[in-house]
């Protein structure tokens, strides 16, 4: 400053938070029902640390039956949309997801459904 060769050192530090999704309830158990009858439940998807809008996609499991046939007995709906939105106070709004199951063939399943954002988290 004013031709004085003084040196200034600035140190910056920060924390990077990765976006994540939590679920309430964390596990899902659908009740047994007669063949071709739909069973359904709702879960809350709780996004955290998303700094911009993102859209949730769901990978539904494909089930292989004893005879080799493959079925997709699960379906999902997002009644209020599937976009993660940043609210004015810096938090992310919860999403509601309805998960349903219907099969015309006897089947039981224990496995995972994958909920993925636009950046494949």
């Amino acid at each position: 400053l004013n031709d004085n060769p003084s040196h200034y050192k600035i140190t910056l530090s920060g924390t990077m938070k990765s976006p994540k999704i939590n679920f309430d309830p964390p596990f899902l158990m659908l009740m047994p029902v007669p063949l071709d009858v739909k069973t359904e439940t709702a879960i809350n998807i709780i996004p955290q640390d998303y700094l911009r809008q993102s859209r949730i996609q769901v990978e539904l499991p494909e089930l292989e039956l004893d005879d080799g046939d493959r079925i997709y007995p699960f379906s999902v709906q997002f009644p209020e949309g599937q976009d993660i939105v940043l609210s004015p106070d810096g938090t992310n709004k919860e999403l509601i997801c309805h998960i349903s199951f219907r099969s015309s063939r006897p089947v039981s399943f224990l496995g995972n459904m994958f909920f993925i954002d636009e950046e494949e988290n």
Side-chain angles (χ1 to χ4, degrees), residues 4 8 11 14 17 19 22 27 30 37 39-40 45 47-49 51 55-56 72-73 90 100 102 113 117:
N4 186 356
Y8 296 93
T11 303
K17 292 185 176 182
N22 291 313
F27 299 98
L30 296 171
V37 172
T39 181
E40 182 177 41
I45 299 174
Q48 293 179 319
D49 301 323
L51 300 178
R55 188 170 186 83
I56 296 292
Y72 290 90
S100 62
R102 180 189 304 226
M113 286 184 183
D117 66 19

Side-chain angles (χ1 to χ4, degrees), residues 41-73:
T41 192
I43 62 169
N44 289 321
I45 299 174
I46 307 161
Q48 293 179 319
D49 301 323
Y50 279 84
L51 300 178
R52 61 181 171 265
Q53 183 170 321
S54 188
R55 188 170 186 83
I56 296 292
Q57 300 294 325
V58 184
E59 288 183 5
L60 297 174
E62 174 187 57
L63 306 184
E64 184 173 351
L65 303 176
D66 291 337
D67 63 2
D69 284 351
R70 296 181 173 275
I71 61 171
Y72 290 90

Side-chain angles (χ1 to χ4, degrees), residues 78-91:
F78 293 85
E80 298 174 7
Q82 57 199 85
D83 292 330
I84 297 173
V85 179
L86 184 65
S87 65
D89 66 358
T91 60

Side-chain angles (χ1 to χ4, degrees), residues 91-112:
T91 60
N92 299 121
K93 182 182 175 196
E94 292 185 9
L95 303 174
I96 296 172
C97 178
H98 290 246
I99 299 174
S100 62
F101 173 90
R102 180 189 304 226
S103 177
S104 60
R105 306 269 300 273
V107 65
S108 63
F109 171 76
L110 174 64
N112 297 311

Side-chain angles (χ1 to χ4, degrees), residues 1-6 8:
L1 304 176
N2 296 335
D3 295 327
N4 186 356
S6 300
Y8 296 93

